[in-house]
Amino acid sequence: MRSFWGVLACFVCCFDFFAVTEDDKPIQTFVIPHSHMDVGWVYTIQESMHAYAANVYTTVTEELSKAAERRFIAVEQEFFRLWWDTVATDTLKRQVRQLVKEGRLEFVLGGQVMHDEAVTDLEDEILQMTEGHGFLYETFGVRPQFSWHVDPFGASATTPVLFALAGFNAHVISRIDYDLKDGMQKDKKLQFVWGGSRSLKEKQLIFTHTMDQFSYCTPSHLPFSNSSGFYWNGVALFPDPPKDGVYPNMSLPVTKETVHAYAKTMVENIKQRAAWFRTNHVLWPWGCDKQFYNSSVQFSNMDPLMKYINQNSKQFGVTVQYSTLGEYFQAVHQSDLIWEQRGSEDFLPYSTEPHQAWTGFYASRNVLKGVARRASSQLHAAETLFTRYRICFPDGPVAKDWALDKLRALRWAVSEVQHHDGITGTESPEVADMYLQHLTQAMMDVEELLAALFLLPHGLDTSDITGSLYGKTDVDEGLEQHVIVYNPLAWNITTIINTTVTFPHATGL
Ligand SMILES: *[C@@H]1O[C@H](CO)[C@@H](O)[C@H](O)[C@H]1NC(C)=O
Ligand SMILES: *[C@@H]1O[C@H](CO)[C@@H](O)[C@H](O)[C@H]1NC(C)=O
Ligand SMILES: *[C@@H]1O[C@H](CO)[C@@H](O)[C@H](O)[C@H]1NC(C)=O
Ligand SMILES: *[C@@H]1O[C@H](CO)[C@@H](O)[C@H](O)[C@H]1NC(C)=O
Ligand SMILES: *[C@@H]1O[C@H](CO)[C@@H](O)[C@H](O)[C@H]1NC(C)=O
């Protein structure tokens, strides 16, 4: 979700951008192509796949395969997996494997979604990361090394701990209090080592990069025209992509006439940002929400622009290169600086301007929040019970694939709703309905699975999984009703279970 990112006033730059002294090394700019693909927010997943998301991966794969210097980072896994399973041809899949092998298509974060950090449970965060990482490892044998948490509304100190323990080498955040960010920019403190947990010591320390005031989008304003900047494929159209490939607000093409003006704009932006960082490297995210659905027109304009800047790098004082996030962090790492350490303080709540604290979402859409929690507990119960079932009855009548399909659907639904425009409640009504529909459908299917696990055929000894309380006394078979209470926790609890029966006499066990 993109909003308010342009609100922060740019600094007035009072030095001459084009004066480079002898011993000034040019600023090394890492242009990181990416598309911010909210798994939800305004449009449903199906609408997004149709309007732009499938085209992102198809065209990125094609365009990266054409030129060795091109790069792309893929962030959320849900869209990628839908594309991989339902759209990608064998040729595209082969190309993807090659690009991943060459490190030119880099999976960062790797969760099904970019989860919210304020209203989610740790277990659900782990679940949605595991679901995405499992797919990446099984499919490509890779594990994401870096996070890209650039849109959640505030940054919790729990997240870097989780990511460090998940094996990440660096963490990227962006939305923090505007005033704080302003100060961090001035003091060159946007990068630090975060130790979010007091008890876990060194093993959870993680290098953290806070995006500057431009956040994850490319500067959208071009001073030399009324077009937006660096978005040559324009703005995605809903519900259908245009037949002729002509989208609204396509940036001015890079031509002989415009290339210098473009270069000047880009270089000014790079220099403005370089002043906020301690090393000579600038992370220049190239993309924004729903970008790169036509990578062909994106790269065919950026290629000559970057070539022009590099040919004139002495004059500009800047070099540019396509890069993955890993390549950027590698360069920063090699600078061998000592970084300030931050403790367990959160960047919550998040404010975009005075009196604009983003706290309403902590409590809004409480029905969705409640269903998401219930679905998560049900998933945990079903997974543990199914595991115990498989151990007790490896050849039992409940078919493994049938059961796993149901569990997977619930894993997806629970993962998906952790999205930062999902459980937060910041999505459109239509998208909230989509999350609810996916959750309730998957819960109903898993209830079927739970029922099947308990309805064991006669002759099987069920005491292992149903426990010792399942004792039957003299009952009229016709009136017999079973209430099964299953505690999926690893410890004993005492609790009251309220059940309603439809007949006047009932005997407890
Ligand atoms: C931008 O648009 C405004 C208003 O439509 C117009 O007056 C101005 O000349 C335009 N500027 C450029 C550079 O095209
Ligand atoms: C990409 O843009 C070009 C130039 O506008 C157009 O010819 C082509 O059809 C577009 N491709 C897609 C996949 O939209
Ligand atoms: C195109 O740009 C104009 C001017 O910046 C803006 O008002 C309009 O909302 C944009 N259109 C779309 C579809 O984003
Ligand atoms: C839970 O209670 C049962 C029955 O009292 C006991 O056998 C079991 O060891 C307990 N389990 C745990 C994890 O404490
Ligand atoms: C059980 O249900 C009854 C009737 O709905 C209600 O009055 C009572 O408070 C419930 N008890 C608990 C512990 O939820």
Side-chain angles (χ1 to χ4, degrees):
M1 174 170 153
R2 165 200 194 180
S3 55
F4 297 119
W5 61 270
V7 172
L8 295 167
C10 298
F11 287 178
V12 180
C13 305
C14 43
F15 50 91
D16 182 2
F17 282 118
F18 298 100
V20 183
T21 58
E22 279 303 315
D23 42 60
D24 270 347
K25 266 173 62 187
I27 297 162
Q28 195 180 358
T29 312
F30 296 79
V31 175
I32 302 186
H34 77 103
S35 182
H36 185 74
M37 301 160 78
D38 287 302
V39 186
W41 190 27
V42 181
Y43 300 100
T44 65
I45 287 157
Q46 210 179 2
E47 286 170 330
S48 301
M49 277 299 283
H50 175 71
Y52 79 95
N55 279 343
V56 171
Y57 292 117
T58 301
T59 65
V60 160
T61 305
E62 288 167 355
E63 291 305 311
L64 260 59
S65 300
K66 284 182 194 162
E69 66 278 8
R70 293 174 178 171
R71 304 279 190 277
F72 195 78
I73 57 166
V75 185
E76 305 87 347
Q77 286 310 299
E78 182 161 339
F79 283 127
F80 183 84
R81 292 176 72 176
L82 288 172
W83 175 79
W84 183 261
D85 289 341
T86 63
V87 180
T89 59
D90 288 344
T91 308
L92 285 168
K93 286 187 181 181
R94 228 180 1 259
Q95 287 174 325
V96 167
R97 288 186 194 282
Q98 183 61 26
L99 293 169
V100 172
K101 206 166 109 194
E102 290 169 14
R104 299 206 281 126
L105 176 64
E106 183 180 53
F107 293 103
V108 296
L109 188 60
Q112 286 288 94
V113 300
M114 187 185 295
H115 66 71
D116 171 69
E117 300 188 29
V119 300
T120 48
D121 273 350
L122 188 58
E123 282 189 25
D124 296 329
E125 296 175 0
I126 293 171
L127 170 85
Q128 79 89 12
M129 295 291 288
T130 307
E131 184 59 34
H133 282 211
F135 163 77
L136 288 173
Y137 192 69
E138 283 169 12
T139 313
F140 304 108
V142 297
R143 297 174 198 272
Q145 303 287 301
F146 308 99
S147 96
W148 183 263
H149 247 225
V150 297
D151 204 27
F153 319 134
S156 154
T158 308
T159 312
V161 175
L162 173 67
F163 289 171
L165 297 180
F168 284 7
N169 294 323
H171 179 36
V172 180
I173 60 173
S174 182
R175 287 182 182 264
I176 62 168
D177 181 272
Y178 70 100
D179 220 13
L180 207 55
K181 184 179 275 197
D182 201 35
M184 287 160 75
Q185 282 186 174
K186 287 189 183 127
D187 300 341
K188 299 193 181 199
K189 288 187 173 174
L190 290 165
Q191 295 169 313
F192 50 87
V193 171
W194 205 345
S197 161
R198 274 180 227 157
S199 55
L200 289 172
K201 308 261 166 32
E202 288 78 29
K203 71 176 170 208
Q204 46 87 43
L205 294 179
I206 188 165
F207 183 79
T208 304
H209 173 102
T210 315
M211 286 197 160
D212 58 41
Q213 67 188 36
F214 292 96
S215 193
Y216 61 84
C217 290
T218 313
S220 64
H221 176 68
L222 286 184
F224 57 94
S225 90
N226 281 334
S227 295
S228 61
F230 312 99
Y231 303 122
W232 290 284
N233 61 190
V235 174
L237 261 194
F238 285 82
D240 297 309
K243 296 236 167 357
D244 55 3
V246 179
Y247 286 78
N249 291 14
M250 292 167 93
S251 300
L252 227 53
V254 173
T255 59
K256 270 205 177 69
E257 289 70 43
T258 61
V259 70
H260 186 76
Y262 259 117
K264 197 161 167 282
T265 303
M266 188 165 169
V267 167
E268 281 180 11
N269 183 261
I270 290 166
K271 292 197 164 174
Q272 182 185 7
R273 299 165 94 155
W276 300 324
F277 292 91
R278 288 175 63 198
T279 75
N280 201 29
H281 313 108
V282 169
L283 189 167
W284 206 79
W286 174 34
C288 199
D289 290 13
K290 310 179 190 72
Q291 281 293 314
F292 281 88
Y293 48 82
N294 188 340
S295 301
S296 155
V297 69
Q298 287 284 84
F299 282 111
S300 64
N301 281 284
M302 189 51 111
D303 285 354
L305 172 55
M306 294 202 349
K307 191 168 163 209
Y308 181 84
I309 293 176
N310 286 336
Q311 279 168 347
N312 298 284
S313 67
K314 271 232 157 61
Q315 177 204 344
F316 285 133
V318 161
T319 64
V320 286
Q321 69 196 77
Y322 290 123
S323 165
T324 60
L325 189 56
E327 288 168 305
Y328 168 72
F329 278 127
Q330 193 62 38
V332 173
H333 179 67
Q334 278 163 1
S335 67
D336 233 1
L337 295 181
I338 307 281
W339 301 95
E340 242 176 58
Q341 196 170 321
R342 183 183 179 85
S344 57
E345 311 85 42
D346 289 330
F347 290 101
L348 288 162
Y350 166 57
S351 291
T352 35
E353 50 190 306
H355 315 298
Q356 296 281 345
W358 289 41
T359 51
F361 80 90
Y362 296 172
S364 59
R365 282 235 164 87
N366 51 41
V367 172
L368 179 63
K369 284 177 167 67
V371 173
R373 293 275 195 281
R374 272 211 306 287
S376 169
S377 328
Q378 197 203 48
L379 173 63
H380 180 63
E383 286 192 328
T384 55
L385 195 62
F386 181 63
T387 306
R388 299 182 73 173
Y389 174 88
R390 291 288 300 177
I391 293 168
C392 299
F393 312 112
D395 307 311
V398 175
K400 189 174 104 188
D401 290 346
W402 177 81
L404 288 179
D405 277 351
K406 295 196 180 324
L407 289 173
R408 190 177 309 114
L410 190 53
R411 286 178 74 87
W412 270 59
V414 173
S415 294
E416 178 185 278
V417 77
Q418 310 306 321
H419 170 59
H420 58 272
D421 295 302
I423 197 162
T424 50
T426 55
E427 66 276 43
S428 66
E430 181 200 14
V431 172
D433 288 347
M434 175 200 73
Y435 292 126
L436 277 173
Q437 208 270 327
H438 291 177
L439 286 165
T440 47
Q441 181 64 50
M443 284 167 85
M444 265 160 32
D445 288 351
V446 162
E447 263 161 39
E448 238 181 85
L449 167 64
L450 287 170
L453 292 176
F454 283 115
L455 279 178
L456 293 169
H458 293 293
L460 286 179
D461 175 14
T462 59
S463 62
D464 272 353
I465 56 167
T466 52
S468 54
L469 289 180
Y470 189 70
K472 227 194 288 184
T473 47
D474 278 346
V475 249
D476 179 343
E477 293 265 329
L479 284 177
E480 187 178 312
Q481 281 197 358
H482 297 158
V483 175
I484 295 167
V485 177
Y486 171 58
N487 169 21
L489 300 173
W491 55 92
N492 287 329
I493 50 166
T494 305
T495 183
I496 294 170
I497 310 277
N498 222 355
T499 50
T500 310
V501 291
T502 52
F503 37 84
H505 303 293
T507 341
L509 293 169

